[in-house]
């Protein structure tokens, strides 16, 4: 905001800000809804809680700007969790350590992730579309 105060009007900035807010504010509350003794079930629930928190925080603006709601957002977010983590570490290794021979693997993971997300988006009833909100409805929806 110091560098460019007009970023406040940028959709990407607004959604990123709200997603981080959701992760900080809502995720701990959602995570505490359920308790799992099993380590892997707890990790899965933590990922689901994170996805729900980000979606909840960005929902009003997402509907306002894009006029749709992704029904399978939890499946999509769980699907990209591992590939994105691998991509971050691979990207750092390629850029900093200059292990360029890993670039084809990096590209394959990107392609695989994109194809998987496209497949999920083409599932039946993947999204609720044509949701139109005016500014007053957005304001009221944000207050819930």
């Amino acid at each position: 905001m110091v560098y460019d105060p007009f970023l406040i009007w940028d959709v990407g900035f607004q959604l990123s800000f709200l997603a981080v807010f959701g992760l900080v504010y809502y995720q701990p509350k959602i995570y505490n809804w359920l308790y799992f003794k099993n380590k892997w079930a707890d990790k899965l629930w933590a990922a689901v809680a994170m996805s729900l928190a980000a979606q909840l925080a960005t929902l009003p603006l997402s509907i306002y700007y894009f006029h749709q709601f992704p029904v399978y957002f939890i499946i999509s977010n769980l699907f990209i969790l591992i590939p994105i983590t691998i991509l971050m570490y691979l990207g750092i290794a390629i850029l900093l350590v200059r292990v360029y021979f890993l670039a084809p693997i990096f590209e394959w993971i990107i392609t695989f992730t994109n194809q998987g997300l496209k497949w999920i988006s083409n599932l039946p009833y993947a999204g609720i579309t044509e949701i139109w909100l005016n500014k007053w409805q957005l304001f009221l929806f944000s207050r819930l």
Side-chain angles (χ1 to χ4, degrees), residues 79 87 104-117:
F79 171 75
L87 282 171
I105 297 169
F106 188 81
E107 183 180 3
W108 181 85
I109 295 171
I110 291 172
T111 303
F112 170 77
T113 304
N114 286 341
Q115 289 172 345
L117 291 175

Side-chain angles (χ1 to χ4, degrees), residues 16 25 43 56 65 97 119:
S16 295
Y25 183 75
K43 287 186 182 291
L56 178 65
Y65 285 123
V97 186
W119 180 80

Side-chain angles (χ1 to χ4, degrees), residues 4-31:
D4 185 1
F6 293 106
L7 277 177
I8 197 157
W9 303 115
D10 182 69
V11 177
F13 175 81
Q14 292 172 4
L15 290 172
S16 295
F17 184 85
L18 287 175
V20 171
F21 171 78
L23 294 177
V24 171
Y25 183 75
Y26 292 126
Q27 194 275 341
K29 295 175 188 306
I30 294 171
Y31 177 72

Side-chain angles (χ1 to χ4, degrees), residues 45-106:
W45 172 242
V48 169
M50 184 173 53
S51 180
L52 285 170
Q55 190 68 37
L56 178 65
T58 59
L59 180 64
L61 270 187
S62 294
I63 290 176
Y64 179 74
Y65 285 123
F66 304 115
H67 315 292
Q68 59 186 345
F69 174 74
V71 174
Y72 302 131
F73 69 90
I74 292 178
I75 296 169
S76 299
N77 290 347
L78 291 176
F79 171 75
I80 65 169
L81 188 63
I82 293 172
I84 290 299
T85 304
I86 295 169
L87 282 171
M88 285 191 317
Y89 287 114
L90 266 177
I92 291 169
I94 291 169
L95 290 174
L96 296 181
V97 186
R98 301 184 190 276
V99 284
Y100 298 120
F101 64 92
L102 295 176
I105 297 169
F106 188 81

Side-chain angles (χ1 to χ4, degrees), residues 31-48:
Y31 177 72
N32 287 330
W33 289 351
L34 298 174
Y35 172 75
F36 293 97
K37 289 182 181 179
N38 182 291
K39 177 178 127 177
W40 295 107
D42 187 60
K43 287 186 182 291
L44 178 64
W45 172 242
V48 169

